[in-house]
Structures are given as C-alpha cells and as structure tokens.
Amino acid sequence: EINSASGSYGGVVGMARAAGMEDTSNTQMREEVDTSPGVNTGRLAKLLGPKLYGTPEDLPTVTVKELFQNGFDAVKGAIEQGRITQGDMRITTNRDNRTITFYDNGTGMSPDVLGKQFLEIAGTHKESNRASGGLGIAKMLTLFGNKGLRVLTMREGKVARLVTSGDELFAALDDRSKSPKIQYSAPTAQELAMFPDGHGTVVSVT
C-alpha cells in the first residue's frame, strides 16, 4: 500500500529503498546529458501565423506597408552608399489581375540576400539598408498570405528572379526540397532599361 508520503520526494526515496533501487554508493560515476531545447520555426509559423495575421481584409494593408518599407529602406541605403542622389519609388495596381507592384531604385538584392534573408522569418542578420525587409508578423503575412509573389532584383550587374506563392513557401517549411528556385543571370535589355541606375527591385504580389 502507498501512503500519502509517496507523493513527495521523500516518499519516492522510500519506495526506491523498498525496491532495492537506491544508489548507496558515493563513488559511483554519474553521467550527464546536455539538453538542447529547440523550436521548429516552420511548424510554429504554420500554427501561429493564421491567428496573428488578423482578418483576410488586413492582407492588402499589411502587404503594402511591408513592401513599401522594404523599398524605402533600400533606397535610403543606396543614397547613403552614394549610388544615387534621388530615390524613385512607385506603386501600381492591376484590378483585373488583383496585383500590386512595387518598384524602387534601391540597392537591390543578391541571390543570397533574396533567398536567405528576404524569405526568412524573424532573422537577425540584415544589411544596414534593411534590404532584406522587415521581420515578424507583417513579413509572415506578406510571404504566406498572398497567392503569388514575383521578385525581380538587380545588383552588381546581375539579376535575380523569383516566382513563388504562399502555398509553395508553406510547403517548403516542412520540406526544403520544395523551396522555390531563384534564377540568376546577366540582365536582359529590358531589365537594363527597367533599372537605369544599375540596381533596384520590383516585387509583385497577387
């Protein structure tokens, strides 16, 4: 019979003694194993995202604020680096396609920045010009909440192109092999005309 004391640490020790399990040796070597608590960020984003996004009506407002801030910071960085003297930012909409397009003549993004920072949630590494964009819930909504995401960005004489969707990015959280691919090459004549300063970014969301 287990008495009330068994619910305490002393009770557990007593039970161990009765069962012959108590270690009475003072010299016995004991090993320790370090723990490593972790967070599955992909799973966390999928669990918390919909609760933190707000209503579907919030999507356009949050997306516009997020991408406008990205462009503003990229332009500011280009000015601070002496690449341009005047910023150029444009926002256009297409009601038929339900598309919003953001253009800036900021610093642009390399494939590494585009793939590892622009698409990362709650990262800590970012350039001084914040070309990788904002962090947190607004970024989660922008990346995962929109049906389509197209990025065309030019930097250091090269152009990176990304075409993806919120569903594809969600799938990549669980399976890295499903991550969208970035095309990277010298700019076409049309792309050179689009970025006369030699750098900049165009982002379209649907």
Side-chain angles (χ1 to χ4, degrees), residues 158-181:
K158 297 290 186 178
V159 170
R161 310 169 190 85
L162 171 68
V163 179
T164 184
S165 66
D167 289 342
E168 183 178 35
L169 293 174
F170 256 133
L173 292 175
D174 293 326
D175 185 351
R176 299 287 293 180
S177 67
K178 296 181 180 180
S179 297
K181 305 301 181 183

Side-chain angles (χ1 to χ4, degrees), residues 31 55 82 86 110 147 173 192 204:
E31 296 183 2
T55 64
Q86 184 174 353
S110 66
K147 293 182 178 179
L173 292 175
L192 283 172
S204 296

